[in-house]
Amino acid sequence: MIRFDDLSLFVRTAALGSFSNAAREADLLPAQVSAAIQRLERELDIRLFARSTRSLRLTAEGERYLPHAQQALAQLREGRDSLHAESGALRGILQLAAPSDFGRNMLLPWLAELRNAHPQLSLRLSLSDQVTNLYRDPVDVAIRYGRIEDSSYVALPLAPHNRRVLVASPDYLRRKGRPQSLDELRAHDGLLWGLDGRLYDKWVFPLEGGRRQTVTMKAALACDDADVARRWAIDGQGIAYKSWLDVCSDVRAGRLELLLAGQPTEATPLSLVCPHRKQFLPAIRELHALLQKRCAELGAP
């Protein structure tokens, strides 16, 4: 018989990459975690991990089994949560991943609002511009920009009509002038971000008839944290091409100004993403309803 604790330790070991890390998180000895994995392997009659003195990685069988283990654990959690559904109280732990800029500048007070309404619910927030692997990383749900092409995920819309906007500070515009066309953008200082060695210096703008225009920007400053590009823009260092959700409060406060207001810009919808619809636990449904409402209140540029 497969033990719940063994299944949970398998999922955490896969996410953390070692018996030691999983043991530390669970307040166990590494030998206890190793024994739990061995019991699970005997029950399944497969090898879940390929072990060596220096590394631990999932086998092909372990990779295939991992999403089933995560789904089984999620269903057990859903069953537990349903026992408390009549009271309307949420409890347990909800693990959430979000983009750095949106997470720091918009999401934090909304999560505090959720916690105030449900004090027995614990939240674990991971902020990164890296795309979270919902089958491997220790998260239940992720907030993502862009269209979700992976059919293995289920995405609930938060801000389906969100778009990027061009912004700069009043100080920068006084010093460098305001671009009047996309062609004039190239002469300005671009505030860029990069990920995994790739610099996103090509800004895309839709045109009539389904065509697109790409403007390659010179990188005055670049960083692997998208929030830094917004901060640089506020500091007058150049022009940024950011999600409206990330900069709307700065625009309304006068820290940033919109540029080329009549120019259509790239769509960047925001969604709440989960590996499987059965994993939409009550806490996730509550989170989705709250975030969808708060995003709608921010309006459009």
Side-chain angles (χ1 to χ4, degrees):
M1 179 182 296
I2 293 177
R3 301 183 184 183
F4 172 82
D5 288 344
D6 293 351
L7 201 62
S8 180
L9 286 171
F10 162 61
V11 170
R12 298 305 301 130
T13 300
L16 297 172
S18 78
F19 291 150
S20 296
N21 290 340
R24 191 176 302 111
E25 183 182 80
D27 197 20
L28 298 171
L29 296 173
Q32 292 175 293
V33 176
S34 178
I37 300 302
Q38 289 175 20
R39 281 194 301 268
L40 184 57
E41 288 177 329
R42 285 196 298 270
E43 286 289 339
L44 298 171
D45 194 27
I46 60 171
R47 293 278 287 183
L48 295 169
F49 291 100
R51 305 162 176 85
S52 72
T53 55
R54 295 185 178 181
S55 68
L56 181 75
R57 61 176 178 81
L58 286 168
T59 62
E61 292 84 358
E63 291 273 7
R64 291 200 299 271
Y65 185 67
L66 180 61
H68 297 288
Q70 291 172 318
Q71 184 176 339
L73 291 171
Q75 287 178 320
L76 289 170
R77 288 176 54 194
E78 184 176 15
R80 178 202 61 198
D81 292 344
S82 69
L83 298 176
H84 305 283
E86 291 184 2
S87 67
L90 300 177
R91 62 188 67 207
I93 298 174
L94 178 61
Q95 300 173 109
L96 170 69
S100 64
D101 200 340
F102 180 81
R104 290 189 186 103
N105 300 303
M106 303 304 298
L107 184 62
L108 292 183
W110 299 343
L111 293 183
E113 182 180 349
L114 181 65
R115 272 276 299 147
N116 290 337
H118 302 279
Q120 297 182 73
L121 178 67
S122 296
L123 300 175
R124 303 288 186 269
L125 177 62
S126 173
L127 294 181
S128 174
D129 291 314
Q130 295 279 350
V131 177
T132 301
N133 186 325
L134 290 169
Y135 291 110
R136 292 290 302 274
D137 296 330
V139 295
D140 301 307
V141 65
I143 295 173
R144 286 188 185 173
Y145 279 120
R147 293 183 174 86
I148 309 302
E149 305 292 346
D150 192 334
S151 61
S152 64
Y153 294 148
V154 178
L156 292 180
L158 294 175
H161 304 299
N162 184 53
R163 310 192 75 83
R164 297 190 190 280
V165 291
L166 290 163
V167 290
S169 73
D171 175 63
Y172 176 85
L173 296 174
R174 281 193 297 270
R175 291 185 290 109
K176 298 295 185 76
R178 181 183 295 267
Q180 299 299 317
S181 68
L182 291 181
D183 289 336
E184 290 186 14
L185 268 183
R186 295 184 176 89
H188 284 266
D189 298 328
L191 302 175
L192 310 180
W193 71 285
L195 194 63
D196 295 330
R198 177 185 176 187
L199 187 64
Y200 290 87
D201 60 347
K202 293 177 172 54
W203 293 353
V204 177
F205 300 87
L207 302 175
E208 293 181 359
R211 296 176 298 114
R212 302 191 306 170
Q213 180 171 344
T214 300
V215 177
T216 301
M217 297 295 296
K218 63 178 181 179
L221 292 167
C223 185
D224 62 355
D225 187 325
D227 183 37
V228 173
R230 183 188 66 86
R231 293 170 185 259
W232 278 333
I234 293 171
D235 195 43
Q237 298 301 314
I239 295 176
Y241 193 32
K242 296 282 294 174
S243 158
W244 167 248
L245 296 176
D246 290 341
V247 298
C248 60
S249 60
D250 299 312
V251 171
R252 288 167 177 165
R255 293 185 292 268
L256 294 173
E257 294 185 16
L258 293 175
L259 308 179
L260 301 180
Q263 169 63 50
T265 53
E266 187 177 24
T268 177
L270 187 70
S271 303
L272 194 68
V273 183
C274 194
H276 196 280
R277 190 167 295 278
K278 290 183 179 179
Q279 290 181 239
F280 284 134
L281 307 175
I284 295 177
R285 292 194 291 270
E286 186 85 3
L287 175 68
H288 173 252
L290 174 63
L291 298 189
Q292 189 176 51
K293 178 181 179 182
R294 292 291 172 259
C295 286
E297 291 171 350
L298 297 176

mmCIF file of all heavy atoms in Angstrom, residues 160-188:
data_model
loop_
_atom_site.group_PDB
_atom_site.id
_atom_site.type_symbol
_atom_site.label_atom_id
_atom_site.label_comp_id
_atom_site.label_asym_id
_atom_site.label_seq_id
_atom_site.Cartn_x
_atom_site.Cartn_y
_atom_site.Cartn_z
ATOM 1 N N PRO A 160 -7.661 39.287 -19.437
ATOM 2 C CA PRO A 160 -7.504 38.791 -20.813
ATOM 3 C C PRO A 160 -7.195 39.889 -21.827
ATOM 4 O O PRO A 160 -6.669 39.587 -22.895
ATOM 5 C CB PRO A 160 -8.859 38.126 -21.103
ATOM 6 C CG PRO A 160 -9.814 38.766 -20.149
ATOM 7 C CD PRO A 160 -9.022 39.069 -18.918
ATOM 8 N N HIS A 161 -7.512 41.134 -21.524
ATOM 9 C CA HIS A 161 -7.316 42.215 -22.493
ATOM 10 C C HIS A 161 -6.107 43.080 -22.149
ATOM 11 O O HIS A 161 -5.936 44.167 -22.731
ATOM 12 C CB HIS A 161 -8.574 43.083 -22.571
ATOM 13 C CG HIS A 161 -9.815 42.308 -22.899
ATOM 14 N ND1 HIS A 161 -9.964 41.592 -24.079
ATOM 15 C CD2 HIS A 161 -10.953 42.084 -22.179
ATOM 16 C CE1 HIS A 161 -11.141 40.988 -24.087
ATOM 17 N NE2 HIS A 161 -11.760 41.270 -22.961
ATOM 18 N N ASN A 162 -5.281 42.639 -21.252
ATOM 19 C CA ASN A 162 -4.099 43.407 -20.874
ATOM 20 C C ASN A 162 -3.131 43.525 -22.056
ATOM 21 O O ASN A 162 -3.000 42.607 -22.867
ATOM 22 C CB ASN A 162 -3.397 42.722 -19.696
ATOM 23 C CG ASN A 162 -2.220 43.504 -19.180
ATOM 24 O OD1 ASN A 162 -2.330 44.684 -18.872
ATOM 25 N ND2 ASN A 162 -1.070 42.862 -19.103
ATOM 26 N N ARG A 163 -2.437 44.664 -22.160
ATOM 27 C CA ARG A 163 -1.493 44.905 -23.240
ATOM 28 C C ARG A 163 -0.229 45.550 -22.680
ATOM 29 O O ARG A 163 -0.224 46.108 -21.583
ATOM 30 C CB ARG A 163 -2.094 45.821 -24.315
ATOM 31 C CG ARG A 163 -3.457 45.409 -24.822
ATOM 32 C CD ARG A 163 -3.834 46.178 -26.057
ATOM 33 N NE ARG A 163 -3.117 45.696 -27.220
ATOM 34 C CZ ARG A 163 -3.487 44.630 -27.953
ATOM 35 N NH1 ARG A 163 -4.578 43.959 -27.646
ATOM 36 N NH2 ARG A 163 -2.769 44.257 -28.995
ATOM 37 N N ARG A 164 0.838 45.478 -23.472
ATOM 38 C CA ARG A 164 2.032 46.237 -23.134
ATOM 39 C C ARG A 164 1.819 47.710 -23.493
ATOM 40 O O ARG A 164 1.023 48.030 -24.379
ATOM 41 C CB ARG A 164 3.242 45.697 -23.900
ATOM 42 C CG ARG A 164 3.603 44.266 -23.556
ATOM 43 C CD ARG A 164 4.937 43.898 -24.175
ATOM 44 N NE ARG A 164 5.193 42.474 -24.053
ATOM 45 C CZ ARG A 164 5.648 41.887 -22.956
ATOM 46 N NH1 ARG A 164 5.908 42.622 -21.877
ATOM 47 N NH2 ARG A 164 5.839 40.590 -22.916
ATOM 48 N N VAL A 165 2.548 48.572 -22.820
ATOM 49 C CA VAL A 165 2.506 49.996 -23.128
ATOM 50 C C VAL A 165 3.927 50.541 -23.082
ATOM 51 O O VAL A 165 4.794 50.018 -22.372
ATOM 52 C CB VAL A 165 1.611 50.776 -22.133
ATOM 53 C CG1 VAL A 165 0.155 50.427 -22.323
ATOM 54 C CG2 VAL A 165 2.045 50.524 -20.692
ATOM 55 N N LEU A 166 4.153 51.600 -23.871
ATOM 56 C CA LEU A 166 5.429 52.310 -23.855
ATOM 57 C C LEU A 166 5.362 53.393 -22.786
ATOM 58 O O LEU A 166 4.424 54.205 -22.775
ATOM 59 C CB LEU A 166 5.712 52.936 -25.217
ATOM 60 C CG LEU A 166 6.029 51.962 -26.351
ATOM 61 C CD1 LEU A 166 5.870 52.654 -27.696
ATOM 62 C CD2 LEU A 166 7.436 51.389 -26.203
ATOM 63 N N VAL A 167 6.363 53.427 -21.908
ATOM 64 C CA VAL A 167 6.351 54.417 -20.832
ATOM 65 C C VAL A 167 7.747 55.007 -20.636
ATOM 66 O O VAL A 167 8.763 54.363 -20.895
ATOM 67 C CB VAL A 167 5.872 53.801 -19.500
ATOM 68 C CG1 VAL A 167 4.395 53.458 -19.548
ATOM 69 C CG2 VAL A 167 6.706 52.580 -19.119
ATOM 70 N N ALA A 168 7.763 56.236 -20.163
ATOM 71 C CA ALA A 168 9.003 56.909 -19.766
ATOM 72 C C ALA A 168 8.638 57.945 -18.715
ATOM 73 O O ALA A 168 7.471 58.360 -18.594
ATOM 74 C CB ALA A 168 9.687 57.559 -20.963
ATOM 75 N N SER A 169 9.621 58.406 -17.974
ATOM 76 C CA SER A 169 9.373 59.401 -16.927
ATOM 77 C C SER A 169 9.308 60.798 -17.541
ATOM 78 O O SER A 169 9.882 61.059 -18.610
ATOM 79 C CB SER A 169 10.478 59.351 -15.880
ATOM 80 O OG SER A 169 11.674 59.911 -16.408
ATOM 81 N N PRO A 170 8.629 61.731 -16.879
ATOM 82 C CA PRO A 170 8.623 63.122 -17.360
ATOM 83 C C PRO A 170 10.029 63.693 -17.483
ATOM 84 O O PRO A 170 10.312 64.454 -18.424
ATOM 85 C CB PRO A 170 7.803 63.844 -16.284
ATOM 86 C CG PRO A 170 6.917 62.783 -15.699
ATOM 87 C CD PRO A 170 7.743 61.533 -15.727
ATOM 88 N N ASP A 171 10.919 63.320 -16.562
ATOM 89 C CA ASP A 171 12.292 63.831 -16.613
ATOM 90 C C ASP A 171 13.007 63.360 -17.873
ATOM 91 O O ASP A 171 13.679 64.143 -18.552
ATOM 92 C CB ASP A 171 13.063 63.372 -15.372
ATOM 93 C CG ASP A 171 14.523 63.777 -15.423
ATOM 94 O OD1 ASP A 171 14.805 64.991 -15.435
ATOM 95 O OD2 ASP A 171 15.391 62.870 -15.476
ATOM 96 N N TYR A 172 12.871 62.070 -18.210
ATOM 97 C CA TYR A 172 13.510 61.555 -19.427
ATOM 98 C C TYR A 172 12.972 62.271 -20.655
ATOM 99 O O TYR A 172 13.738 62.641 -21.567
ATOM 100 C CB TYR A 172 13.290 60.047 -19.550
ATOM 101 C CG TYR A 172 13.848 59.474 -20.837
ATOM 102 C CD1 TYR A 172 15.174 59.100 -20.924
ATOM 103 C CD2 TYR A 172 13.040 59.349 -21.971
ATOM 104 C CE1 TYR A 172 15.696 58.597 -22.112
ATOM 105 C CE2 TYR A 172 13.552 58.853 -23.162
ATOM 106 C CZ TYR A 172 14.884 58.478 -23.220
ATOM 107 O OH TYR A 172 15.403 57.990 -24.399
ATOM 108 N N LEU A 173 11.679 62.476 -20.717
ATOM 109 C CA LEU A 173 11.072 63.108 -21.889
ATOM 110 C C LEU A 173 11.505 64.559 -22.024
ATOM 111 O O LEU A 173 11.643 65.068 -23.145
ATOM 112 C CB LEU A 173 9.549 62.995 -21.805
ATOM 113 C CG LEU A 173 9.003 61.550 -21.844
ATOM 114 C CD1 LEU A 173 7.508 61.538 -21.608
ATOM 115 C CD2 LEU A 173 9.355 60.873 -23.160
ATOM 116 N N ARG A 174 11.717 65.237 -20.911
ATOM 117 C CA ARG A 174 12.227 66.612 -20.986
ATOM 118 C C ARG A 174 13.647 66.638 -21.549
ATOM 119 O O ARG A 174 14.004 67.533 -22.322
ATOM 120 C CB ARG A 174 12.207 67.252 -19.590
ATOM 121 C CG ARG A 174 10.847 67.756 -19.143
ATOM 122 C CD ARG A 174 10.955 68.640 -17.917
ATOM 123 N NE ARG A 174 11.473 67.913 -16.751
ATOM 124 C CZ ARG A 174 10.703 67.268 -15.880
ATOM 125 N NH1 ARG A 174 9.376 67.285 -16.035
ATOM 126 N NH2 ARG A 174 11.234 66.633 -14.858
ATOM 127 N N ARG A 175 14.450 65.650 -21.166
ATOM 128 C CA ARG A 175 15.854 65.634 -21.592
ATOM 129 C C ARG A 175 16.037 65.099 -22.998
ATOM 130 O O ARG A 175 16.849 65.607 -23.775
ATOM 131 C CB ARG A 175 16.683 64.790 -20.613
ATOM 132 C CG ARG A 175 16.838 65.418 -19.239
ATOM 133 C CD ARG A 175 17.767 64.594 -18.348
ATOM 134 N NE ARG A 175 17.151 63.338 -17.954
ATOM 135 C CZ ARG A 175 17.515 62.149 -18.391
ATOM 136 N NH1 ARG A 175 18.492 62.045 -19.288
ATOM 137 N NH2 ARG A 175 16.902 61.056 -17.967
ATOM 138 N N LYS A 176 15.283 64.048 -23.361
ATOM 139 C CA LYS A 176 15.532 63.341 -24.622
ATOM 140 C C LYS A 176 14.442 63.544 -25.666
ATOM 141 O O LYS A 176 14.617 63.137 -26.816
ATOM 142 C CB LYS A 176 15.685 61.841 -24.345
ATOM 143 C CG LYS A 176 16.854 61.485 -23.436
ATOM 144 C CD LYS A 176 18.176 61.830 -24.094
ATOM 145 C CE LYS A 176 19.360 61.384 -23.267
ATOM 146 N NZ LYS A 176 19.616 59.950 -23.344
ATOM 147 N N GLY A 177 13.336 64.145 -25.270
ATOM 148 C CA GLY A 177 12.255 64.342 -26.225
ATOM 149 C C GLY A 177 11.301 63.157 -26.252
ATOM 150 O O GLY A 177 11.616 62.060 -25.788
ATOM 151 N N ARG A 178 10.133 63.399 -26.828
ATOM 152 C CA ARG A 178 9.083 62.373 -26.891
ATOM 153 C C ARG A 178 9.034 61.788 -28.303
ATOM 154 O O ARG A 178 8.845 62.540 -29.274
ATOM 155 C CB ARG A 178 7.740 62.996 -26.529
ATOM 156 C CG ARG A 178 6.567 62.016 -26.531
ATOM 157 C CD ARG A 178 5.271 62.760 -26.238
ATOM 158 N NE ARG A 178 5.264 63.320 -24.896
ATOM 159 C CZ ARG A 178 4.761 62.691 -23.840
ATOM 160 N NH1 ARG A 178 4.218 61.490 -23.980
ATOM 161 N NH2 ARG A 178 4.783 63.270 -22.655
ATOM 162 N N PRO A 179 9.203 60.462 -28.461
ATOM 163 C CA PRO A 179 9.117 59.872 -29.807
ATOM 164 C C PRO A 179 7.714 60.052 -30.388
ATOM 165 O O PRO A 179 6.720 59.896 -29.680
ATOM 166 C CB PRO A 179 9.443 58.392 -29.566
ATOM 167 C CG PRO A 179 9.128 58.157 -28.125
ATOM 168 C CD PRO A 179 9.432 59.444 -27.414
ATOM 169 N N GLN A 180 7.668 60.366 -31.697
ATOM 170 C CA GLN A 180 6.392 60.596 -32.363
ATOM 171 C C GLN A 180 5.976 59.432 -33.253
ATOM 172 O O GLN A 180 4.879 59.432 -33.807
ATOM 173 C CB GLN A 180 6.480 61.868 -33.216
ATOM 174 C CG GLN A 180 6.792 63.119 -32.394
ATOM 175 C CD GLN A 180 5.736 63.413 -31.343
ATOM 176 O OE1 GLN A 180 4.541 63.321 -31.623
ATOM 177 N NE2 GLN A 180 6.174 63.754 -30.131
ATOM 178 N N SER A 181 6.848 58.433 -33.398
ATOM 179 C CA SER A 181 6.540 57.274 -34.236
ATOM 180 C C SER A 181 7.377 56.094 -33.774
ATOM 181 O O SER A 181 8.340 56.254 -33.009
ATOM 182 C CB SER A 181 6.841 57.577 -35.710
ATOM 183 O OG SER A 181 8.246 57.710 -35.889
ATOM 184 N N LEU A 182 7.030 54.908 -34.266
ATOM 185 C CA LEU A 182 7.815 53.713 -33.923
ATOM 186 C C LEU A 182 9.235 53.834 -34.454
ATOM 187 O O LEU A 182 10.187 53.377 -33.807
ATOM 188 C CB LEU A 182 7.139 52.467 -34.500
ATOM 189 C CG LEU A 182 5.801 52.065 -33.874
ATOM 190 C CD1 LEU A 182 5.264 50.796 -34.530
ATOM 191 C CD2 LEU A 182 5.931 51.867 -32.377
ATOM 192 N N ASP A 183 9.401 54.444 -35.619
ATOM 193 C CA ASP A 183 10.745 54.605 -36.179
ATOM 194 C C ASP A 183 11.619 55.463 -35.268
ATOM 195 O O ASP A 183 12.827 55.220 -35.146
ATOM 196 C CB ASP A 183 10.666 55.212 -37.576
ATOM 197 C CG ASP A 183 10.108 54.231 -38.602
ATOM 198 O OD1 ASP A 183 10.225 53.014 -38.361
ATOM 199 O OD2 ASP A 183 9.553 54.687 -39.615
ATOM 200 N N GLU A 184 11.032 56.450 -34.622
ATOM 201 C CA GLU A 184 11.807 57.315 -33.729
ATOM 202 C C GLU A 184 12.208 56.616 -32.428
ATOM 203 O O GLU A 184 13.110 57.084 -31.730
ATOM 204 C CB GLU A 184 11.013 58.590 -33.419
ATOM 205 C CG GLU A 184 10.880 59.525 -34.606
ATOM 206 C CD GLU A 184 10.209 60.833 -34.228
ATOM 207 O OE1 GLU A 184 10.087 61.112 -33.011
ATOM 208 O OE2 GLU A 184 9.800 61.575 -35.141
ATOM 209 N N LEU A 185 11.535 55.519 -32.115
ATOM 210 C CA LEU A 185 11.883 54.780 -30.892
ATOM 211 C C LEU A 185 13.337 54.327 -30.921
ATOM 212 O O LEU A 185 14.006 54.280 -29.876
ATOM 213 C CB LEU A 185 10.992 53.545 -30.747
ATOM 214 C CG LEU A 185 9.703 53.659 -29.947
ATOM 215 C CD1 LEU A 185 9.028 52.305 -29.886
ATOM 216 C CD2 LEU A 185 9.961 54.193 -28.539
ATOM 217 N N ARG A 186 13.836 53.954 -32.089
ATOM 218 C CA ARG A 186 15.179 53.382 -32.199
ATOM 219 C C ARG A 186 16.270 54.339 -31.716
ATOM 220 O O ARG A 186 17.357 53.899 -31.335
ATOM 221 C CB ARG A 186 15.459 52.973 -33.646
ATOM 222 C CG ARG A 186 14.571 51.849 -34.158
ATOM 223 C CD ARG A 186 14.969 51.435 -35.562
ATOM 224 N NE ARG A 186 14.198 50.291 -36.032
ATOM 225 C CZ ARG A 186 13.035 50.381 -36.669
ATOM 226 N NH1 ARG A 186 12.513 51.577 -36.918
ATOM 227 N NH2 ARG A 186 12.403 49.295 -37.061
ATOM 228 N N ALA A 187 15.988 55.623 -31.733
ATOM 229 C CA ALA A 187 16.989 56.602 -31.308
ATOM 230 C C ALA A 187 17.004 56.788 -29.791
ATOM 231 O O ALA A 187 17.840 57.527 -29.267
ATOM 232 C CB ALA A 187 16.722 57.944 -31.989
ATOM 233 N N HIS A 188 16.104 56.104 -29.099
ATOM 234 C CA HIS A 188 15.982 56.291 -27.651
ATOM 235 C C HIS A 188 16.643 55.156 -26.878
ATOM 236 O O HIS A 188 16.980 54.100 -27.430
ATOM 237 C CB HIS A 188 14.510 56.423 -27.263
ATOM 238 C CG HIS A 188 13.931 57.767 -27.607
ATOM 239 N ND1 HIS A 188 13.884 58.804 -26.703
ATOM 240 C CD2 HIS A 188 13.392 58.241 -28.764
ATOM 241 C CE1 HIS A 188 13.335 59.861 -27.280
ATOM 242 N NE2 HIS A 188 13.019 59.549 -28.532
#
